[in-house]
Amino acid sequence: MQEPQCPRGNECVQLSQAEADYNRLFNLSPDLLCVAGLDGFFKRVNPSWTRILGWSEAELLSRPVESFMHPDDRERTLQARSDLAKGLPVRGLENRYLCKDGSHRWLAWQSVVEPPGTTVFAVARDITERRQWDQEQLVRSKLESTGILAAGIAHDFNNLLASLLLNVEMVSLCDSTSAEQENYLSHARTTIHAATALTQQLITFSAGGQPARHVADLKVLLEQSMEVALRGSALRGKCDVAPDLWAAEVDEGQLGQVMRNLILNAREASQPGGTVRLTAANVVLESVPVAGCPPGEYLRIDITDDGVGIPADILPNVFDPYFSTKERGSQKGMGLGLTICRIVLQKHGGTMAIASHPGVGTTVTCYLPALQRKSFEIPAVAHPDAGGEPRVLVMDDEELFRETLAQALQRLGYLVEQAGDGETAVALYQQEMKAGRPFAAVLLDLTVRGGMGGTETMKALQACDPGVRAVLITGYSNEEAFREHARHGFRGALGKPFSSESLRTLLGGILRTDLARAKGGYAPVTNTH
């Protein structure tokens, strides 16, 4: 019995071939192709829907299209469907579709209705990564706007805090303070250090706020960060650091603040009796698990809690500055914490990622580039006392701070002369050299309004005395001159505010080093940041 023949012959063969080609392209397309009805149901979907969203074809066809839409996008998406019903094509609509794992993916749509207006043909492209990139650029724009004022504000605050801290410490040195007064002074110092951390965040926001990096073994830093952040809580802390953890070049102050902030976040999210875990290991990344993190050798630091977790719809916003799930007020900040942390890591050449499941907990993963050479030496810390009454010259244009610093130096056993700008400092230095009363050390402020600042003054001093012993002091700890002070001839650098102990240690180290060199020996100098 012969098969029935198509009355149109070759035309039927061509139609069959066209349909086969259409099906092949439909199934091969990396974009999400679909045929839907104006009744709100998919009629046909290609395999990309399952690959990208995770739903099976049967699940997609059995549920209303509306049930897959993000609630915040539903109204405008339904409006687009209404336009389609009127015969108007939809181009450029962007909305979020629910994935089977509870997350959402951003899709960009091109849709038309086939006459007589009952069938919708649509193409959707997954633009999630592009949206994330756009969001990242928006965050950077906000940070740049904030950074315009940040550095100047931080500098002025640091000058005030520096004067306040030195005054508080000088009160503590008085013989007549009682135990109660010492307790109040201790609280004042704690508050000053907290304010310093805030100004450091502003400096990190500011343009060019690069960390002052040094070779470091992070094991002690990580363990101390865990101990400090969980102190006084009812949580258990577990710290598992690989014994052969590679070294890294980091700003220990900045990185320590990042670790403490992340552990404090875990603490806030956890219930009493919970556990915060910190693990640190060496990893070699052959591919890029996080945007902006090239292949290479890294230290991977995971901070995990078993707290409430972060809802999937909130997770994409956690790095947006000023976005916060916490209430603002005296106890809560403005939501800058995670933004600052990621910026610090990025400026170290690393990055950060967050994975969270509501009701299960959250893991924050930090990546830091490992130092290529695995062996290193941590500089020794010297604590020498300055003997006798060496003379020190202080140059700073802030009179209040300059006076306070001079008083602190006097209490440490130094004779002090003051200058309000670089020109005055150079003239005074030359005058005392000619008189046979050279200064043992000079402290120079980096920035002088309307005058010669620290680096220019240093060049002038070196011209008349190549052996000048100078320390750079500044409220702009993000400046290149601060980070690379030795390259400019400075023996050390102090970032405002600094303690009288840091001042004593640095100056004593410089003088002791020169004494040891004169005798043919060597003693290390500690630069306190």
Side-chain angles (χ1 to χ4, degrees), residues 443 471-475 482 492-496 498 502-503 506 528-529:
L443 279 74
V471 173
L472 185 67
I473 55 176
T474 181
F482 180 80
L494 289 167
K496 300 176 184 177
F498 50 83
S502 298
L503 181 62
L506 182 55
T528 305
H529 299 282

Side-chain angles (χ1 to χ4, degrees), residues 70-295:
H70 191 286
D72 294 345
D73 304 333
R74 192 168 294 158
E75 183 176 348
R76 57 192 177 86
T77 304
L78 293 179
Q79 178 60 50
R81 183 192 294 174
S82 177
D83 292 340
L84 282 170
K86 298 173 184 176
L88 300 174
V90 171
R91 305 189 188 282
L93 171 70
E94 296 182 1
N95 59 15
R96 285 161 287 183
Y97 263 57
L98 178 68
C99 297
K100 193 164 186 176
D101 63 5
S103 62
H104 287 82
R105 304 290 295 181
W106 278 96
L107 305 179
W109 291 88
Q110 306 285 340
S111 308
V112 295
V113 173
E114 175 71 16
T118 58
T119 303
V120 177
F121 293 86
V123 179
R125 177 158 293 178
D126 183 2
I127 58 168
T128 306
E129 279 68 33
R130 193 204 77 190
R131 293 281 303 210
Q132 289 174 345
W133 171 256
D134 290 345
Q135 181 68 16
E136 183 79 15
Q137 295 304 106
L138 177 61
V139 168
R140 290 182 182 275
S141 176
K142 291 179 180 179
L143 297 181
E144 289 171 3
S145 299
T146 304
I148 292 172
L149 297 176
I153 293 172
H155 175 264
D156 291 342
F157 267 96
N158 281 339
N159 271 323
L160 296 172
L161 291 171
S163 179
L164 182 59
L165 179 60
L166 289 176
N167 273 297
V168 166
E169 292 193 338
M170 283 190 288
V171 172
S172 293
L173 294 174
C174 295
D175 298 331
S176 58
T177 56
S178 66
E180 182 180 10
Q181 290 170 332
E182 279 297 326
N183 185 50
Y184 292 142
L185 290 171
S186 176
H187 285 304
R189 283 192 291 268
T190 300
T191 302
I192 292 169
H193 291 312
T196 302
L198 179 60
T199 61
Q200 185 57 50
Q201 288 193 359
L202 292 175
I203 289 172
T204 305
F205 258 136
S206 67
Q210 296 299 320
R213 292 195 276 177
H214 304 279
V215 180
D217 181 349
L218 299 187
K219 185 176 188 298
V220 174
L221 182 147
L222 295 174
E223 291 174 344
Q224 288 181 345
S225 297
M226 175 73 85
E227 193 275 329
V228 170
L230 295 185
R231 186 179 296 160
S233 75
L235 297 175
R236 295 184 298 273
K238 293 186 177 181
C239 202
D240 182 13
V241 179
D244 60 344
L245 190 69
W246 292 330
E249 284 189 306
V250 301
D251 184 318
E252 293 183 76
Q254 286 189 11
L255 186 62
Q257 187 65 47
V258 168
M259 293 298 113
R260 290 190 292 274
N261 282 350
L262 296 177
I263 296 168
L264 283 171
N265 283 349
R267 172 177 174 171
E268 289 186 4
S270 302
Q271 298 298 323
T275 301
V276 176
R277 298 172 179 82
L278 186 152
T279 61
N282 304 321
V283 295
V284 178
L285 302 181
E286 301 294 345
S287 59
V288 184
V290 182
C293 198

